[in-house]
Amino acid sequence: MSDVKDYYDEVPYFSAAFRDCSPVRIHAIAEFLGLEPKPVANARVLEFGCAYGGNILPFAVHNENADVVGIDISSTQVSDGNKIAEEMGMENFRLLERDILNLDENEVKKLGKFDYIIAHGVYSWVDDSIKAALFRAIKLLLSDNGIAYVSYNIYPGWKSLDILRDFMLFASDGQKSGVKKLEISKRELNFLQDYLKFNTQNANDKIYSDSAQLLATQLNFLQNILKKGNDYYILHDFLEICNTPTYFYKFAKRLEENGLYYLLDCSLDDIFRSALGVYRFDAHIARNYPNRIQKEQMNDFLFNRSFRKSLIVHKERLGDNDDFDVEIGIKELSRLNFALNLDDPTNDVQKSLSEAYPSSLNLENLLQNLSQDAHTTFMQLIEVFATQNVDISTNAFKCVRYEVGKSRLKPRTASYLSYFAATDKPVILLANELNSRVALDRFEVSVGLKFDGKNSFESIVKQTINTVKELDLKLFNDDEILKFDFDVLVERFVEKIQIKLQNAYFFDEI
């Protein structure tokens, strides 16, 4: 593990937040399935491979009574992450520098049991001994009713991406520095892209042209990532010392060997994309692949999936059953609240949710609000649930509008935002409790911090006008300046910040 540790200390991984592994979402899915998970407000949460802690810190900020722990092998990231959280005053959050291979019985006893365990971006990027250690650790540390989340690269979708990884490793062979490997790989990817573009336009061999086009498509995916400045992703995914995608059925088998059980994918594809929708294909799969794991593997082949986000429980939770089964009805759907923001809703449920946003609605609210029959409302809500655009929770999301003396930034949220106001190069992503990104830059955050319940909106606008003039900030383009009065532009600028804070559920009532 020493090579991996050196690699991450040299080029630390930016610590993003990921919606699918938010404890709020995992808890909601478990409630929907009737698993009676621990409420998140006072849950114990553990993340393996936590980097700076950016994926679990937003949850800790908004759940003061939860106990949030991260484990990572990088001393640099653990040290810096703890310092960031300490400066924010987050006493319910801590990161530990640990090698998962050395988690002995005493260490496990000290850590205790966790209600939610997250391992995002770990499994595929470690060797077999660490994979086995990860499953052993989950088995030992997961509470009886706990839920674990593990993400990993899968075949067949990663087969073509493997070619690009192999090309980058070949091109940078012999380089020990991760930075140098990245530099050479970026140069050679540009060369490869140029060649593929030229050759696919001039090749006479159609088979070769088609295969080259597939590689070019995957290469465009990588280049778009690089254009966004996400070098760390390429370095720690494609140039990682270890990156071993697997087939899903093999992953499920290893879980079973460790006393664990695959529940479903956090995307909910197992429920909403379990069938192809064409009788002759679905009948063939049902006839030849009756086992649920086999069906999921078959779907991976048919959909060319490259990534999975599996929810895992103790195998003992099955009892005497061979598999887990769930019904989707009014009772199950009524356990959840939904928040959805769409510019172009296409049915009454979507329209009602969008009008209420950022407040959430549940099935009962929708049945009361809409004049259509209950079955139509139910089916339209199922359609919403099946998308990746909806936020879910067992608790209602409430829209709190800013009003001086009546509402304010939540104090812990203000402490969290202070970090982003103090640095141009944050190492963690600014996100809300649901791990959704909140798009505010450093100056916008500094303006946002003025929504403290004491400043009126008008006062914040005046303060911002003075700051922009004093610092000669270029916030607006020439067209905007020609069309609108400067004070009006600043007022709109501040209003947008207020809306972003409101939509992130960062305000509470005094």
Side-chain angles (χ1 to χ4, degrees), residues 331-376:
K331 177 183 175 183
E332 289 74 26
L333 209 61
S334 296
R335 297 170 182 153
L336 302 180
N337 292 277
F338 300 84
L340 180 69
N341 185 21
L342 286 179
D343 293 330
D344 53 349
T346 58
N347 60 46
D348 287 345
V349 165
Q350 290 182 5
K351 184 178 180 181
S352 186
L353 286 169
S354 296
E355 288 174 349
Y357 185 82
S359 293
S360 63
L361 299 175
N362 57 29
L363 179 58
E364 182 181 352
N365 299 145
L366 291 165
L367 291 173
Q368 292 174 349
N369 293 351
L370 301 176
S371 57
Q372 61 189 14
D373 64 274
H375 176 73
T376 300

Side-chain angles (χ1 to χ4, degrees), residues 129-147:
S129 65
I130 305 171
K131 286 180 171 70
L134 176 63
F135 282 163
R136 284 197 302 271
I138 290 174
K139 181 64 181 176
L140 291 170
L141 294 168
L142 190 65
S143 65
D144 291 345
N145 276 2
I147 311 285

Side-chain angles (χ1 to χ4, degrees), residues 271-282:
I271 296 174
F272 298 117
R273 294 186 71 188
S274 62
L276 303 175
V278 179
Y279 174 76
R280 67 188 180 98
F281 297 128
D282 287 329

Side-chain angles (χ1 to χ4, degrees), residues 45-50 53 56 68-72 78 93-98:
V45 176
L46 171 67
E47 180 174 26
F48 288 109
C50 62
I56 49 177
V68 183
V69 180
I71 287 177
D72 201 280
V78 165
F93 175 94
R94 68 189 187 278
L95 306 183
L96 306 173
E97 183 187 347
R98 297 288 188 275

Side-chain angles (χ1 to χ4, degrees), residues 226-413:
L226 288 169
K227 286 177 183 176
K228 295 177 182 178
N230 295 336
D231 287 359
Y232 65 90
Y233 172 78
I234 302 299
L235 187 61
H236 293 303
D237 203 1
F238 287 82
L239 288 172
E240 185 61 80
I241 295 169
C242 183
N243 186 342
T244 53
T246 186
Y247 283 100
F248 165 70
Y249 77 97
K250 293 182 178 180
F251 177 86
K253 184 177 181 181
R254 293 188 78 167
L255 282 178
E256 189 174 355
E257 291 169 352
N258 285 273
L260 298 167
Y261 170 77
Y262 168 78
L263 186 63
L264 81 174
D265 196 89
C266 204
S267 67
L268 301 178
D269 281 351
D270 306 53
I271 296 174
F272 298 117
R273 294 186 71 188
S274 62
L276 303 175
V278 179
Y279 174 76
R280 67 188 180 98
F281 297 128
D282 287 329
H284 174 88
I285 293 173
R287 184 169 58 251
N288 294 285
Y289 306 95
N291 180 276
R292 185 169 70 96
I293 300 300
Q294 292 176 329
K295 287 180 180 177
E296 280 299 303
Q297 180 57 70
M298 192 64 177
N299 283 341
D300 283 0
F301 279 115
L302 299 175
F303 297 133
N304 196 36
R305 287 178 178 147
S306 61
F307 193 65
R308 271 189 174 266
K309 301 160 287 188
S310 295
L311 295 185
I312 296 160
V313 296
H314 287 294
K315 193 176 179 182
E316 290 82 358
R317 296 194 72 177
L318 285 177
D320 297 328
N321 299 319
D322 294 329
D323 201 358
F324 178 80
D325 192 22
V326 62
E327 295 182 5
I328 302 178
I330 290 178
K331 177 183 175 183
E332 289 74 26
L333 209 61
S334 296
R335 297 170 182 153
L336 302 180
N337 292 277
F338 300 84
L340 180 69
N341 185 21
L342 286 179
D343 293 330
D344 53 349
T346 58
N347 60 46
D348 287 345
V349 165
Q350 290 182 5
K351 184 178 180 181
S352 186
L353 286 169
S354 296
E355 288 174 349
Y357 185 82
S359 293
S360 63
L361 299 175
N362 57 29
L363 179 58
E364 182 181 352
N365 299 145
L366 291 165
L367 291 173
Q368 292 174 349
N369 293 351
L370 301 176
S371 57
Q372 61 189 14
D373 64 274
H375 176 73
T376 300
T377 299
F378 174 80
M379 293 307 297
Q380 288 179 356
L381 185 56
I382 285 288
E383 182 183 332
V384 165
F385 193 17
T387 73
Q388 294 293 298
N389 300 319
V390 65
D391 287 318
I392 58 172
S393 173
T394 56
N395 297 320
F397 303 119
K398 184 178 179 181
C399 175
V400 177
R401 304 184 189 282
Y402 183 76
E403 190 174 352
V404 63
K406 294 185 178 180
S407 58
R408 62 178 178 181
L409 274 177
K410 298 173 183 176
R412 287 172 66 87
T413 300

